Each structure stands twice: as structure tokens, then as C-alpha cells.
Amino acid sequence: MSDPNCIFCKVIAHEIPAHFLWEEDETVAFMDINPWTRGHALVIPRNHSTDLLEISEQDLAATAAGAQRLARMQKERLGCDGVNLLNSCGAAGWQTVFHFHIHSIPRYEGDPLQLPTRPQQVDQDELAKIAAELRG
Ligand code: 5GP
Ligand code: ZN
């Protein structure tokens, strides 16, 4: 289950070089080529799936466990103060590589990362309406 046109399938196959942290049966982890902070890494399932909506539960669980493992490595070995996990789903959700992946981004006190958005104020009736829409 690999896609010949997919960059991350090529990383898995060693057709594109990468700095691997592990290469195991279910998941592979490697350094992000354009890190947001020191130690920014990605974990991906070996099986190609496009995104969060398509991935199997088993691959999702293995990749999520891999993200926790990465966060622990970043904390223990790089001494980060916190971690952000990020998954982007769909172009509108900022996804640029269409092989499911979770970013584990170490955070350091005073680092320059900032949230690109501010939470909105919304009234309770509107929240109730949206919750009903989501429940279906
Ligand atoms: P997305 O934008 O889909 O959430 O994340 C894709 C990530 O993959 C980006 O952070 C980008 O820097 C990283 N990336 C893109 N191409 C390569 C590559 O060839 N090798 C590595 N190691 N990372 C890549
Ligand atoms: Zn792929």
C-alpha cells in the first residue's frame, strides 16, 4: 500500500533521503525538512493513506502512539518545555503532503511560535445549534 507519486512513500522506500528516528513495521519517524522549532519531527504510517478521514483505525492508533513516543523523546533528549502535536487534514486545513502524518513540535519557553488565530466569541445559542448539527 504505497503511492508511487507520494513524497512520504518515497521517504519510506529510501528513494528520498531523510534523518530517521525509527523505521518499524507500522510507523516511520523522521526529522521535518523545514522545522518550526529545534527537533520538529514527523511520524507516519507505512501504509499510504491520504489523510485523517481515510486512514484505518489501526494505522491511526499506531501513528498516535508514535506521536506520544516522539514527544517523550523530545522532552527527555532535547529538554523541550512542551510539545504541540499537529495534523493537517485537507488543503483547507493546511495539509501540503497527502500521506497522513502527525507533527511533533517541541516547544521551548520563549520560542517564537505563535498561534495564527485568536478564539472567537460566540453565543450559547449558536454553540447549541452547531452541536445539534454535529450530532446529526
Ligand atoms: P503538512 O503541511 O502536510 O502538515 O506537513 C508536511 C510537512 O512535511 C512540512 O512540515 C514539510 O516541511 C515536510 N516535508 C515536505 N517534504 C519533505 C521531505 O521531502 N522530507 C522531509 N523530511 N520533510 C518534508
Ligand atoms: Zn504515501
Side-chain angles (χ1 to χ4, degrees):
M1 279 180 278
S2 113
D3 175 340
N5 299 314
C6 168
I7 294 177
F8 285 175
C9 284
K10 289 182 181 169
V11 168
I12 291 169
H14 290 212
E15 289 166 20
I16 291 179
H19 298 281
F20 290 100
L21 300 174
W22 71 76
E23 296 172 85
E24 294 182 356
D25 288 352
E26 289 187 296
T27 64
V28 169
F30 53 95
M31 304 308 292
D32 194 293
I33 202 167
N34 291 131
W36 291 11
T37 63
R38 184 169 190 271
H40 179 170
L42 305 171
V43 56
I44 67 177
R46 264 191 194 277
N47 292 326
H48 178 89
S49 348
T50 307
D51 61 23
L52 178 65
L53 302 180
E54 197 203 63
I55 190 170
S56 71
E57 262 188 48
Q58 184 178 336
D59 282 340
L60 178 61
T63 311
Q68 183 189 46
R69 178 173 163 191
L70 273 181
R72 287 178 169 155
M73 289 164 74
Q74 290 160 336
K75 168 90 180 157
E76 286 165 19
R77 301 187 185 151
L78 300 182
C80 64
D81 303 304
V83 173
N84 286 122
L85 297 185
L86 173 70
N87 168 253
S88 298
C89 181
W94 301 335
Q95 187 174 8
T96 60
V97 175
F98 291 86
H99 179 129
F100 180 83
H101 53 280
I102 299 177
H103 299 250
S104 185
I105 305 165
R107 300 301 308 277
Y108 303 91
E109 298 292 351
D111 73 34
L113 293 197
Q114 292 197 344
L115 276 177
T117 183
R118 293 276 172 272
Q120 301 166 23
Q121 299 291 328
V122 63
D123 69 39
Q124 293 300 315
D125 289 349
E126 180 66 2
L127 280 187
K129 193 169 154 255
I130 298 165
E133 204 173 318
L134 281 169
R135 286 191 296 265

